[in-house]
Amino acid sequence: MPKTTTDDWIHLLKALADDTRLRIVKLLLDGSMRVGQISESLSVSTYNTSKHLRVLREAKLIVMAK
């Protein structure tokens, strides 16, 4: 398992500090969803949902299905 640095933890916690991103993570705990499904469930635009998903992906909290 790779060593986790303080910067890694800061990046992770900042990603989860946003309410919308936290709601996305909670939704995805039940299974994978498409961007449009997440947007609709949270009443957030697809554009903003995509931006939030990018932050979560960069923090390595989610992976995108192929």
Side-chain angles (χ1 to χ4, degrees):
M1 176 171 241
K3 187 174 180 177
T4 306
T5 66
T6 302
D7 287 341
D8 293 333
W9 282 107
I10 291 170
H11 192 65
L12 176 91
L13 292 171
K14 281 183 179 181
L16 291 174
D18 181 89
D19 180 58
T20 301
R21 289 193 288 269
L22 188 56
R23 290 170 46 211
I24 290 171
V25 170
K26 286 180 182 180
L27 267 179
L28 294 175
L29 288 173
D30 292 330
S32 62
M33 296 176 77
R34 296 176 188 262
V35 176
Q37 293 172 308
I38 296 168
S39 298
E40 190 175 309
S41 293
L42 300 179
S43 298
V44 176
S45 72
T46 303
Y47 175 78
N48 282 332
T49 300
S50 294
K51 286 176 41 179
H52 287 299
L53 289 170
R54 179 183 51 80
V55 172
L56 293 170
R57 190 173 56 250
E58 289 173 354
K60 296 183 174 80
L61 289 167
I62 62 169
V63 293
M64 303 301 280
K66 298 200 181 220

